[in-house]
């Protein structure tokens, strides 16, 4: 081949290349012990919670399905952010640290293709874990005669996956700022603590200290993506936000039937924003 | 074929490549030579778009900054640090690289054979020795059949036999009319592989010359380690000192400091004086 034969290829995003990279990520995930550890842990805990919800009893206003769903939401809001954040945080930083990212990007691919392929592959892997866990819980609930509201169950599962890819986006954003895999993991665990525990306490403390109005409390709650997911999920299966107290009742009164969709949109925005930020940072052409 | 204009690269406050400009013609073979930290690898990485840089790099008439996919398609790359996906098998890694370049999979077998990796195709990358990894790197660089090859220390992990084989392979690629950019510490290797040497120091070009002139241009020195019969080392030392050579005894023989081009003079002086040399090595 000579100079005259140097062929130009499109600099635009090529879905086929994205697919090649995503496929590799999925194969890597399936071969990874971490993936199986998370999948088995999530499915096991989901199964335990579904089995523990006694059929026919009424606790805190929820039927057996409601209690299974509430338990799964509580499980999801702890486990899934940790999964998504750590997986995302290690993705780019780990490859950068090992030098494999340099190998990948020396190919005729764009950084956008590398990023999107990695993201999609990990999103599919997380989907397998989340839907696997919810599938196991659903089967157990139905087997116990739990009278499951299938559409609510599916909506919660979808919201859980949305939470997973939101956290994946945050994890990958951390990854683009970090050169070492372990440092990225450390930061991601700190962010998980903030989202899963400290953020909630912060909102409570702020609301007490500053006497936030109802709408202010609602907004500060959904500023935490994990809390936005929780409220969207609770609305999905119970139609109310009593857990949020007067602010929840205010939300139901103000937005009525639209509340579920509004919270779903907020959760979706939380899935998009960090991912776009990570993509922009990674594609900006810095050193590999 | 390759035009680099006013390339500069900063890491923080440290300028690792300083106003580097170079034209490389189609089919030309050029070495970037210099000590560690001279900036050779950074220049190669800039050509691949792996580092952000100031200046302009053109490959085959295309700006590497705006046509990265096209320019990378024209280049095969053997990295200095042989870091791939360690958990993949050799075959899967080559297959993945082929898919990213849209190359038919049957070419993988062909290239494995060319670099004698067929017997190792089922091994995981992490199980490979340094030499086998180097061959894998060469295989990955070769199998898109690119007009340009960027070889960052391509023989650094190879034993003498594999190095000879790799040099033979690269000489063949050069004869085919490919454009080669090689970084290397080995002056002799460059003489066999390249038309021009770009000597770099602290990120800047120090001299551009013919490979046979490099040692002289840079005043490179070498040591001859001479193994002599028992009892003749003192006489040898006297002869060499008389001829103006700096020489000293060590536990296994005699060390003589020579210019890169003047190795034969020391040997000839000893032979004229009737001193028998049993063996010799060149140390740099």
């Amino acid at each position: 081949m000579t100079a005259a034969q140097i062929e130009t290829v499109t600099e635009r995003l090529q879905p086929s290349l994205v697919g090649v990279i995503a496929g590799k990520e999925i194969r890597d995930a399936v071969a990874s012990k971490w993936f199986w550890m998370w999948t088995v842990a999530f499915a096991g805990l989901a199964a335990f919670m579904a089995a523990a919800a006694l059929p026919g009893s009424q606790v805190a206003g929820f039927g057996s399905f409601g209690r299974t769903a509430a338990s799964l939401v509580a499980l999801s809001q702890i486990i899934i952010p940790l999964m998504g954040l750590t997986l995302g945080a290690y993705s780019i930083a780990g490859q950068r640290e090992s030098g494999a990212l340099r190998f990948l990007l020396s190919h005729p691919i764009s950084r956008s293709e590398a990023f999107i392929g990695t993201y999609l592959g990990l999103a599919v892997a997380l989907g397998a874990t989340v839907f696997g866990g919810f599938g196991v819980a659903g089967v157990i609930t139905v087997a116990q005669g739990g009278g499951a509201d299938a559409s609510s169950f599916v909506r919660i599962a979808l919201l859980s996956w949305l939470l997973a890819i939101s956290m994946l986006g945050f994890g990958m954003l951390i990854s683009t700022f970090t050169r070492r895999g372990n440092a990225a993991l450390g930061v991601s665990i700190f962010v998980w603590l903030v989202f899963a525990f400290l953020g909630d306490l912060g909102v409570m403390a702020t609301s007490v200290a500053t006497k936030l109005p109802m709408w202010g409390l609602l907004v500060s709650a959904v500023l935490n993506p994990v809390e936005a997911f929780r409220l969207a999920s609770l609305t999905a299966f119970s139609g109310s936000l009593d857990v949020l107290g007067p602010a929840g009742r205010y939300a139901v009164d103000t937005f009525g039937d639209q509340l579920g969709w509004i919270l779903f949109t907020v959760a979706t925005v939380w899935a998009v924003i960090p991912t776009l930020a990570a993509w922009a940072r990674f594609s900006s052409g810095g050193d590999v | 074929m390759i035009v680099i204009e006013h390339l500069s690269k900063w890491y923080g406050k440290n300028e690792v490549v300083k106003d580097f400009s170079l034209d490389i013609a189609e089919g030309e073979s050029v070495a970037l030579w210099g000590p560690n930290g001279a900036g050779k690898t950074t220049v190669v990485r800039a050509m691949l778009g792996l580092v952000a840089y100031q200046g302009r790099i053109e490959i085959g008439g295309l700006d590497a900054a705006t046509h990265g996919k096209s320019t990378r398609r024209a280049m095969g790359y053997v990295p200095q640090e042989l870091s791939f996906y360690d958990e993949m098998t050799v075959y899967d890694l080559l297959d993945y690289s082929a898919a990213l370049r849209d190359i038919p999979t049957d070419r993988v077998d062909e290239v494995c054979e060319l670099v004698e990796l067929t017997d190792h195709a089922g091994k995981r990358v992490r199980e490979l020795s340094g030499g086998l990894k180097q061959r894998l790197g060469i295989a990955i660089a070769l199998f898109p059949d690119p007009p340009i090859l960027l070889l960052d220390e391509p023989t650094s992990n190879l034993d003498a036999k594999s190095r000879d084989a790799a040099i033979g392979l690269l000489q063949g690629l050069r004869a085919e009319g490919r454009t080669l950019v090689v970084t290397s510490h080995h002056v002799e290797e460059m003489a066999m592989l390249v038309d021009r040497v770009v000597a770099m120091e602290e990120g800047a070009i120090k001299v551009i010359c013919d490979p046979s002139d490099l040692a002289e241009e840079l005043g490179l020195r070498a040591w001859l380690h001479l193994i002599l019969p028992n009892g003749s080392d003192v006489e040898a030392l006297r002869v060499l000192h008389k001829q103006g050579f700096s020489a000293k005894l060590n536990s296994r023989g005699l060390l003589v400091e020579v210019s890169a081009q003047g190795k034969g003079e020391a040997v000839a002086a000893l032979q004229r004086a009737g001193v028998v040399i049993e063996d010799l090595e060149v140390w740099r």
Side-chain angles (χ1 to χ4, degrees):
Chain A
M1 198 187 274
T2 64
Q5 289 171 291
I6 283 184
E7 51 179 311
T8 54
V9 292
T10 178
E11 297 295 323
R12 289 187 180 171
L13 192 92
Q14 287 176 276
S16 59
L17 288 174
V18 171
V20 168
I21 297 163
K24 183 206 166 277
E25 288 298 331
I26 293 167
R27 285 193 298 277
D28 283 357
V30 171
S32 149
K33 61 176 185 251
W34 291 101
F35 169 78
W36 287 108
M37 192 193 80
W38 281 123
T39 302
V40 169
F42 187 68
L45 286 168
F48 172 77
M49 287 182 168
L54 295 173
S57 65
Q58 292 282 327
V59 179
F62 295 143
S64 62
F65 167 70
R67 277 181 292 109
T68 301
S71 304
L72 287 173
V73 169
L75 174 68
S76 295
Q77 79 179 65
I78 300 295
I79 299 268
I80 287 176
L82 190 57
M83 270 165 42
L85 278 165
T86 51
L87 207 57
Y90 201 76
S91 61
I92 295 168
Q95 286 192 67
R96 183 182 278 134
E97 185 177 3
S98 71
L101 187 61
R102 201 174 290 136
F103 164 73
L104 176 65
L105 293 179
S106 68
H107 287 82
I109 61 167
S110 67
R111 293 192 183 203
S112 290
E113 285 157 349
F115 179 88
I116 296 170
T118 304
Y119 177 81
L120 288 180
L122 294 176
V124 168
L126 282 169
T129 302
V130 170
F131 293 118
F134 271 86
V136 168
V139 167
I140 291 172
T141 304
V142 171
Q144 285 185 322
D149 172 356
S151 71
S152 296
F153 199 76
V154 169
R155 264 183 284 166
I156 295 168
L158 277 173
L159 280 164
S160 295
W161 184 58
L162 212 51
L163 175 66
I165 61 175
S166 166
M167 293 298 119
L168 176 65
F170 275 107
M172 289 182 79
L173 181 59
I174 293 166
S175 206
T176 60
F177 281 94
T178 327
R179 298 199 75 82
R180 302 256 170 220
N182 284 340
L185 283 178
V187 174
S188 72
I189 288 169
F190 175 75
V191 171
W192 170 71
L193 284 171
V194 171
F195 282 160
F197 302 106
L198 303 179
D200 216 13
L201 294 174
V203 170
M204 281 163 55
T206 308
S207 65
V208 170
T210 63
K211 295 195 170 66
L212 278 176
M214 301 298 182
W215 64 266
L217 185 60
L218 187 64
V219 168
S220 33
V222 297
L223 280 177
N224 177 347
V226 174
E227 190 62 10
F229 153 79
R230 188 170 76 102
L231 298 180
S233 300
L234 292 174
T235 310
F237 76 83
S238 74
S240 82
L241 279 183
D242 288 348
V243 289
L244 211 59
R249 284 191 286 281
Y250 161 81
V252 172
D253 292 345
T254 305
F255 300 112
D257 292 343
Q258 300 301 310
L259 182 62
W261 283 110
I262 290 169
L263 289 170
F264 178 77
T265 305
V266 171
T268 306
V269 167
W270 271 127
V272 172
I273 287 175
T275 307
L276 283 180
W279 168 73
R281 162 106 185 141
F282 183 72
S283 304
S284 64
D287 298 344
V288 177
Chain B
M1 184 64 141
I2 299 171
V3 179
I4 303 174
E5 291 174 342
H6 306 296
L7 177 70
S8 293
K9 173 65 189 171
W10 293 79
Y11 286 120
K13 291 180 180 174
N14 187 20
E15 191 177 15
V16 294
V17 177
K18 299 170 185 168
D19 198 25
F20 182 101
S21 295
L22 183 68
D23 281 14
I24 300 173
E26 183 187 346
E28 194 183 8
S29 183
V30 170
L32 304 180
W33 184 90
N36 289 339
K40 313 178 294 289
T41 296
T42 305
V43 171
V44 170
R45 287 180 183 169
M47 291 166 73
L48 289 159
L50 297 175
V51 295
Y53 57 85
Q54 292 167 316
R56 181 179 165 82
I57 298 176
E58 215 176 78
I59 312 281
L62 298 173
D63 186 340
T66 53
H67 293 80
K69 284 171 73 173
S70 295
T71 55
R72 280 193 290 278
R73 195 176 179 82
M75 295 187 280
Y77 170 50
V78 180
Q80 183 181 11
E81 292 155 15
L82 297 156
S83 305
F84 309 111
Y85 293 101
D86 281 354
E87 294 305 314
M88 291 177 98
T89 64
V90 167
Y91 188 90
D92 287 346
L93 185 75
L94 286 166
D95 192 41
Y96 182 49
S97 187
L100 290 171
R101 289 184 176 271
D102 199 18
I103 295 170
T105 308
D106 17 329
R107 177 102 175 104
V108 171
D109 294 324
E110 207 177 299
V111 171
C112 273
E113 209 163 306
L114 182 69
V115 297
E116 297 174 7
L117 270 177
T118 308
D119 292 344
H120 306 281
K123 284 185 184 168
R124 290 186 192 278
V125 173
R126 68 174 150 79
E127 294 167 352
L128 300 181
S129 65
L132 287 175
K133 270 192 183 179
Q134 193 93 45
R135 279 198 244 162
L136 176 60
I138 292 174
I140 288 167
L142 282 184
F143 85 112
D145 198 20
I148 302 169
L149 282 170
L150 307 181
L151 308 154
D152 198 358
E153 305 280 357
T155 59
S156 57
N157 293 304
L158 300 180
D159 57 32
K161 188 182 164 201
S162 304
R163 180 181 291 190
D164 287 348
I167 289 174
L169 181 67
L170 297 175
Q171 282 174 321
L173 294 167
R174 181 189 176 194
E176 285 172 11
R178 283 172 216 267
T179 307
L180 303 186
V181 178
V182 189
T183 75
S184 177
H185 290 303
H186 302 287
V187 178
E188 298 85 354
E189 237 177 61
M190 285 188 289
M192 287 187 272
L193 279 177
V194 303
D195 306 307
R196 266 196 303 164
V197 177
V198 178
M200 297 179 68
E201 193 175 85
E202 294 179 353
I205 294 177
K206 193 173 179 193
V207 66
I208 300 179
C209 63
D210 189 275
S212 57
D213 297 336
L214 179 69
E216 208 61 42
E217 287 274 356
L218 298 178
L220 299 179
R221 309 291 290 173
W223 288 90
L224 277 184
H225 183 217
L226 305 174
I227 309 296
L228 308 169
N230 283 341
S232 61
D233 46 1
V234 175
E235 170 62 7
L237 203 57
R238 189 191 63 76
V239 169
L240 290 167
H241 283 159
K242 194 176 171 188
Q243 294 290 322
F245 286 98
S246 168
K248 60 187 177 186
L249 294 170
N250 84 344
S251 58
R252 292 181 53 236
L254 193 65
L255 283 173
V256 191
E257 188 181 2
V258 291
S259 72
Q261 303 296 317
K263 294 187 279 289
E265 291 169 25
V267 173
L270 290 173
Q271 283 177 333
R272 279 197 303 273
V275 176
V276 175
I277 300 169
E278 288 184 342
D279 199 3
L280 67 84
E281 292 172 310
V282 180
W283 292 357
R284 293 189 184 282

